[in-house]
Amino acid sequence: MFAWDAQQYLKFSDARTRPAAELLARVATQAPANAIDIGCGPGNSTELLAARWRKTQIVGLDSDEAMLVQARKDYPDFRFEQGDIRTWATDGSERYDVVYGNAVLQWVGGHETLFPDLLKRLNPGGTLAIQMPRNFQAPSHVLMRKAAAESPYAARLENVRELNDVPGPSYYYDLLTDKVATLDIWETEYTQVMPAVDGIIDWVKGSGLRPFLARLGPNEQADLLARYRAELTKGYPQQVDGKVLFFFKRIFIVATV
């Protein structure tokens, strides 16, 4: 399993936190007794929950030690635990008023069983709030895979586990509609302005590019990044001011039981 880099991830903390805030804004629960932030990463999303619900018992859950080290450093008063989301979804007895997951479940497959399992961790009337990138087929990720496949070390990168190809709203509607009391699903495509394609590289180095780089040595990493940069230059043309627009689609799901 590749390691995460909290500092790389937080280079774009404002842009990464914006959808987390927009997801939280659609959660109607006013005063939950408890809430859990699954896949909390470095704690930036957990901070949003704590700021809204100051009297709520909130825990952040993540499987990556580096992310949790950063979270505990930045938010020493918060409670963070290490654990696997799929295991947590099926092996615990404690239930929550809010189960919240921002930009994490795209890394976890088997949604046909995972989402129903997450619903079982809710108290009656509780809310499941999930946001996931849906950009597997975006140029940034298509060109990433292309650069890897055409590199001299393609064989080592052939089976890299990248982000899952997250289905669209109709899939989650059919999966959840008969299991919940209310269901709200929507998509947003963010237009993120980057000074150049290097900004896109910096973004994906904090997420989807990491498992590719983890299999390569320093010189090979530099070579792959150069190949990727050349592809991005063709895929993301400059605007009139020389900047590039990085379009980023996300799906949001808010369900109450």
Side-chain angles (χ1 to χ4, degrees), residues 59-123:
V59 58
L61 176 76
D62 204 278
S63 62
D64 188 82
E65 180 61 27
M67 286 291 196
L68 291 173
V69 167
Q70 188 68 45
R72 290 169 180 143
K73 176 183 177 182
D74 291 345
Y75 309 105
D77 296 332
F78 295 179
R79 174 185 163 199
F80 294 101
E81 297 180 354
Q82 188 168 16
D84 173 78
I85 288 173
R86 181 169 294 284
T87 302
W88 175 87
T90 58
D91 72 356
S93 58
E94 184 176 3
R95 297 193 174 211
Y96 292 83
D97 288 342
V98 176
V99 173
Y100 174 97
N102 177 69
V104 60
L105 296 188
Q106 72 277 10
W107 294 103
V108 185
H111 287 188
E112 70 280 0
T113 57
L114 177 61
F115 272 72
D117 285 340
L118 291 173
L119 292 175
K120 295 173 185 176
R121 297 302 306 264
L122 291 171
N123 289 318

Side-chain angles (χ1 to χ4, degrees), residues 9-206:
Y9 184 87
L10 288 171
K11 279 188 176 182
F12 298 93
S13 60
D14 288 347
R16 294 191 191 277
T17 304
R18 177 181 171 184
E22 293 176 0
L23 174 66
L24 182 60
R26 298 287 278 270
V27 177
T29 309
Q30 294 302 310
N34 58 5
I36 185 166
D37 180 11
I38 58 174
C40 64
N44 53 313
S45 54
T46 317
E47 181 186 25
L48 294 176
L49 275 63
R52 176 174 174 182
W53 297 314
R54 297 187 180 278
K55 297 182 179 180
T56 298
Q57 294 182 353
I58 297 171
V59 58
L61 176 76
D62 204 278
S63 62
D64 188 82
E65 180 61 27
M67 286 291 196
L68 291 173
V69 167
Q70 188 68 45
R72 290 169 180 143
K73 176 183 177 182
D74 291 345
Y75 309 105
D77 296 332
F78 295 179
R79 174 185 163 199
F80 294 101
E81 297 180 354
Q82 188 168 16
D84 173 78
I85 288 173
R86 181 169 294 284
T87 302
W88 175 87
T90 58
D91 72 356
S93 58
E94 184 176 3
R95 297 193 174 211
Y96 292 83
D97 288 342
V98 176
V99 173
Y100 174 97
N102 177 69
V104 60
L105 296 188
Q106 72 277 10
W107 294 103
V108 185
H111 287 188
E112 70 280 0
T113 57
L114 177 61
F115 272 72
D117 285 340
L118 291 173
L119 292 175
K120 295 173 185 176
R121 297 302 306 264
L122 291 171
N123 289 318
T127 298
L128 175 67
I130 300 296
Q131 180 275 123
M132 296 175 286
R134 209 161 88 77
N135 58 341
F136 187 82
Q137 299 300 336
S140 56
H141 288 68
V142 171
L143 296 174
M144 182 192 309
R145 296 190 291 273
K146 181 176 185 290
E150 295 177 355
S151 70
Y153 26 85
R156 270 188 284 154
L157 303 178
E158 185 176 4
N159 296 318
V160 164
R161 182 186 177 279
E162 196 208 353
L163 302 168
N164 290 295
D165 192 359
V166 174
S170 60
Y171 172 84
Y172 292 101
Y173 180 88
D174 288 346
L175 177 65
L176 299 173
T177 188
D178 63 346
K179 301 176 181 66
V180 299
T182 67
L183 181 59
D184 187 11
I185 304 175
W186 73 99
E187 289 186 309
T188 299
E189 184 171 72
Y190 296 85
T191 302
Q192 300 177 173
V193 181
M194 297 293 187
V197 294
D198 284 350
I200 300 175
I201 294 174
D202 265 349
W203 178 283
V204 296
K205 280 173 70 175

